[in-house]
C-alpha cells in the first residue's frame, strides 16, 4: 500500500516542514513539470520491518467485509487481497471506499501555521489529504471512492440477520475448504 499527496502549494509546504512527509517533497516539486495531480506513492512504513519476527498463520484464510468496512478496514482488506492472503467474502460487492488519511484543520495548523489561520467562531473542518493506492495486481489503483471489490458476495439471509450469521459463516467455511 502506498500513499500519495495532492500536488498543491499546501501539500508541498507540509512535505517540507512535517518530518513524516519529507519523502513526498521531491515528487510534489516535480509535478510542476509533469502536471500530475498527485505525488508518487510511498509506503508509510517498511512492511518487511513491521512483519519481521511476527508469527504467521500458514493455513487458509478468508476475510469477511461489508459496505460499512471503511477507512482502516478498507486499507486492511486491500492489503489482504493484494497480497493474496485469501479470498474476500463481502456481504456487499465493495467495501466502503474510504482509503485516505483524514486530518482536522487544527492539526494542519500545527504543521502549517503560516498558511492556515484560526477559523471564525470555532469553526473547523476535516480533509482527506493522503490517499491510499493499492499494490501488486492493483498497482496505483486508488482505494478512495472505489473500495475493495469482494471476490465472492454473500447476501445476508434471514438466518444471518435474526440469528448469528450462520449462512455467512457457512459461506466463509466453504471458501476455506
Amino acid at each position: 500500500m502506498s500513499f500519495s499527496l495532492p500536488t498543491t502549494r499546501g501539500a508541498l509546504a507540509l512535505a517540507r516542514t512535517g518530518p513524516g512527509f519529507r519523502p513526498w517533497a521531491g515528487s510534489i516539486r516535480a509535478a510542476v513539470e509533469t502536471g500530475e495531480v498527485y505525488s508518487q506513492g510511498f509506503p508509510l512504513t517498511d512492511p518487511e520491518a513491521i512483519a519481521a519476527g511476527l508469527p504467521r498463520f500458514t493455513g487458509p484464510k478468508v476475510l469477511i467485509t461489508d459496505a460499512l468496512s471503511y477507512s482502516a478496514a478498507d486499507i486492511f482488506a486491500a492489503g489482504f487481497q493484494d497480497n493474496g492472503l485469501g479470498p474476500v467474502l463481502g456481504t456487499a460487492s465493495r467495501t466502503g471506499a474510504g482509503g485516505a488519511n483524514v486530518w482536522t484543520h487544527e492539526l494542519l495548523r500545527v504543521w502549517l501555521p503560516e498558511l492556515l489561520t484560526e477559523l471564525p467562531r470555532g469553526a473547523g473542518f476535516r480533509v482527506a489529504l493522503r490517499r491510499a493506492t493499492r499494490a501488486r495486481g492493483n498497482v496505483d489503483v486508488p482505494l478512495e471512492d472505489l473500495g475493495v471489490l469482494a471476490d465472492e458476495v454473500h447476501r445476508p439471509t434471514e438466518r444471518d440477520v435474526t440469528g448469528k450469521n450462520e449462512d455467512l459463516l457457512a459461506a466463509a467455511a466453504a471458501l476455506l475448504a
Side-chain angles (χ1 to χ4, degrees):
M1 183 81 41
S2 294
F3 292 82
S4 56
L5 290 169
T7 54
T8 64
R9 183 174 66 99
L12 180 57
L14 183 63
R16 286 179 173 158
T17 61
F21 299 97
R22 289 204 179 103
W24 288 272
S27 177
I28 295 171
R29 273 193 308 274
V32 172
E33 300 294 323
T34 64
E36 293 292 326
V37 177
Y38 286 94
S39 72
Q40 289 174 282
F42 297 97
L44 297 182
T45 57
D46 176 13
E48 296 301 320
I50 290 174
L54 291 177
R56 295 184 185 208
F57 177 72
T58 58
K61 298 169 263 317
V62 63
L63 179 66
I64 299 173
T65 63
D66 63 21
L68 299 177
S69 299
Y70 193 78
S71 192
D74 267 315
I75 292 169
F76 182 84
F80 188 91
Q81 190 176 63
D82 292 349
N83 288 288
L85 299 179
V88 173
L89 174 63
T91 60
S93 61
R94 291 185 181 272
T95 60
N101 295 143
V102 178
W103 289 302
T104 64
H105 172 258
E106 285 303 311
L107 179 58
L108 290 171
R109 282 189 63 220
V110 170
W111 291 317
L112 302 170
E114 69 286 348
L115 290 179
L116 299 172
T117 60
E118 190 171 330
L119 296 174
R121 297 186 189 142
F125 63 86
R126 294 168 22 124
V127 60
L129 186 61
R130 192 166 46 189
R131 77 176 189 164
T133 52
R134 298 186 62 183
R136 305 254 190 312
N138 294 302
V139 169
D140 293 335
V141 173
L143 196 50
E144 187 80 11
D145 296 329
L146 297 177
V148 176
L149 184 63
D151 297 308
E152 299 284 335
V153 176
H154 169 81
R155 299 290 177 205
T157 64
E158 184 176 335
R159 275 177 20 124
D160 289 329
V161 174
T162 60
K164 295 183 179 177
N165 290 311
E166 293 93 338
D167 295 332
L168 174 60
L169 294 174
L175 288 173
L176 291 172

